[in-house]
């Protein structure tokens, strides 16, 4: 194998690893958000987590989760609060993944 092939393989491996870490972080973030929202709504944590995870599969990214949270938390949290909580949960999720 040439040096170029080795580098190409290394870049492909890093890309796959980074994509996997991002997927895990988004999944963990969704669970953290569900925990927060379920407490605000007084809903069962398991049931609400399932609802939020189902909403997360509508499209790539977290916009679908945001829309569901905005609809569910109307009157309990505004959009800015939800965005701030999403950023906080993503940072916490990434830290948890990095810690192993």
């Amino acid at each position: 194998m040439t040096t170029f092939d080795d580098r190409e393989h290394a870049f492909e491996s890093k890309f796959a690893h980074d994509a996997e870490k991002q997927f895990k972080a988004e999944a963990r973030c969704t669970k953290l958000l569900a925990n927060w929202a379920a407490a605000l709504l007084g809903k069962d944590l398991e049931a609400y987590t399932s609802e939020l995870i189902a909403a997360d599969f509508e499209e790539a990214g977290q916009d679908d989760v945001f829309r569901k949270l905005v609809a569910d938390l109307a009157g309990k949290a505004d959009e800015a609060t939800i965005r701030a909580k999403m950023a906080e949960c993503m940072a916490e999720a990434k830290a948890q993944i990095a810690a192993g």
Side-chain angles (χ1 to χ4, degrees), residues 11-43:
F11 281 121
E12 288 172 354
S13 294
K14 182 182 180 331
F15 179 80
H17 178 71
D18 290 349
E20 181 182 354
K21 282 177 58 175
Q22 182 64 27
F23 175 80
K24 287 180 180 180
E26 286 181 8
R28 184 150 318 170
C29 177
T30 300
K31 288 181 183 180
L32 293 169
L33 287 167
N35 189 25
W36 170 71
L40 284 177
L41 295 168
K43 287 190 170 188

Side-chain angles (χ1 to χ4, degrees), residues 34-35 37-39 41-51:
N35 189 25
L41 295 168
K43 287 190 170 188
D44 177 63
L45 177 60
E46 263 187 60
Y48 193 72
T49 300
S50 295
E51 287 179 35

Side-chain angles (χ1 to χ4, degrees), residues 35-73:
N35 189 25
W36 170 71
L40 284 177
L41 295 168
K43 287 190 170 188
D44 177 63
L45 177 60
E46 263 187 60
Y48 193 72
T49 300
S50 295
E51 287 179 35
L52 205 57
I53 289 171
D56 193 19
F57 286 116
E58 290 176 10
E59 63 185 51
Q62 294 287 88
D63 288 339
D64 43 3
V65 172
F66 175 73
R67 282 192 303 274
K68 172 135 178 75
L69 288 170
V70 167
D72 291 351
L73 295 174

